[in-house]
Amino acid sequence: MISIDPKQNSERENYKLLIGTVIPRPIAFVTTQSEEGILNGAPFSYFNIVSSNPPMVSLSIQRPAGRLKDTARNIYNNHQFVVHIVDAENVGKINQTAASIPATESEIELANLTPVQSKSVAVPGVLEAKVRIECKLVQAIPLGGEEPGSDLFIGEIVQFHIDESIYQEGRIDPRALNAVSRLAGSNYATLGEIFSIERPE
């Protein structure tokens, strides 16, 4: 067993250890809106469930060179965002939104995604996702001391939008959703074998 002290590592070395071991990671495609009305979209794999009562999700966004990404800046400004689950059908278009473009341009237009009006927040979502989750910011936590390296956002879900094709009797069909997950490097994974283990009493 190799023992590694993260304090002796560079940020890049710790990053590689994290993305190589914490797998598979769900991917959130997040839309936000700038003060100028530009619809921003970007994928993030530092994402998960926080609570079901009330329903909440977490999203962590890194600060490259100490700078806020457009998504983080927009969430700080208007306290709203929409999370979409990335699946095998839309992953190609979503990947295009990871390109570095000026904040004055929309990744949604770049990737030929279709904006759709939200019900409970002002930020639009995109039509190409089978799951769309409207969120309002509950808490934002800069992480890393005086010079934060990332921001942790916790959002309360105020509206679910679920495609009929994946919804059966109050449950989501995982095969029909066909979500993809993030691994390390350029690698992704689809849903493989599904097996069951009963929890102990």
Side-chain angles (χ1 to χ4, degrees):
M1 181 71 72
I2 299 169
S3 185
I4 299 170
D5 181 352
K7 292 181 180 177
Q8 302 302 315
N9 274 351
S10 67
E11 183 275 337
R12 187 68 181 172
E13 289 168 332
N14 285 329
Y15 170 77
K16 288 182 177 180
L17 290 177
L18 284 167
I19 66 167
T21 56
V22 184
I23 58 173
R25 297 186 306 282
I27 307 168
F29 176 64
V30 182
T31 54
T32 58
Q33 200 157 29
S34 72
E35 292 180 313
E36 294 74 30
I38 303 297
L39 183 58
N40 171 264
F44 298 94
S45 67
Y46 291 15
F47 157 69
N48 223 310
I49 297 167
V50 173
S51 167
S52 56
N53 183 26
M56 294 191 291
V57 293
S58 66
L59 176 69
S60 180
I61 302 177
Q62 306 305 293
R63 292 192 187 192
R67 293 179 293 102
L68 284 173
K69 289 189 175 182
D70 295 340
T71 300
R73 184 182 309 105
N74 294 343
I75 295 173
Y76 270 120
N77 286 342
N78 64 27
H79 296 183
Q80 298 180 351
F81 56 101
V82 181
V83 169
H84 309 74
I85 301 301
V86 179
D87 62 56
E89 293 178 21
N90 64 28
V91 67
K93 285 190 172 185
I94 299 303
N95 184 56
Q96 293 179 40
T97 68
S100 297
I101 64 173
T104 54
E105 298 178 23
S106 173
E107 294 86 355
I108 307 305
E109 293 179 10
L110 174 72
N112 292 315
L113 291 164
T114 310
V116 59
Q117 186 174 355
S118 291
K119 185 173 182 179
S120 300
V121 299
V123 179
V126 298
L127 190 63
E128 287 77 6
K130 297 186 186 85
V131 177
R132 195 167 74 248
I133 304 169
E134 299 177 19
C135 300
K136 289 187 178 179
L137 182 65
V138 172
Q139 193 168 1
I141 308 168
L143 300 173
E146 293 183 6
E147 297 182 7
S150 65
D151 296 89
L152 174 64
F153 299 100
I154 298 173
E156 181 173 350
I157 297 168
V158 293
Q159 197 75 41
F160 286 102
H161 301 276
I162 311 291
D163 192 283
E164 294 90 344
S165 67
I166 68 169
Y167 188 75
Q168 298 175 358
E169 298 178 0
R171 297 179 185 272
I172 303 299
D173 179 344
R175 292 291 187 196
L177 175 56
N178 203 16
V180 298
S181 58
R182 194 76 170 88
L183 304 177
S186 299
N187 295 327
Y188 293 78
T190 54
L191 196 63
E193 178 188 359
I194 297 176
F195 61 92
S196 300
I197 300 177
E198 295 296 327
R199 293 179 64 171
E201 295 292 334

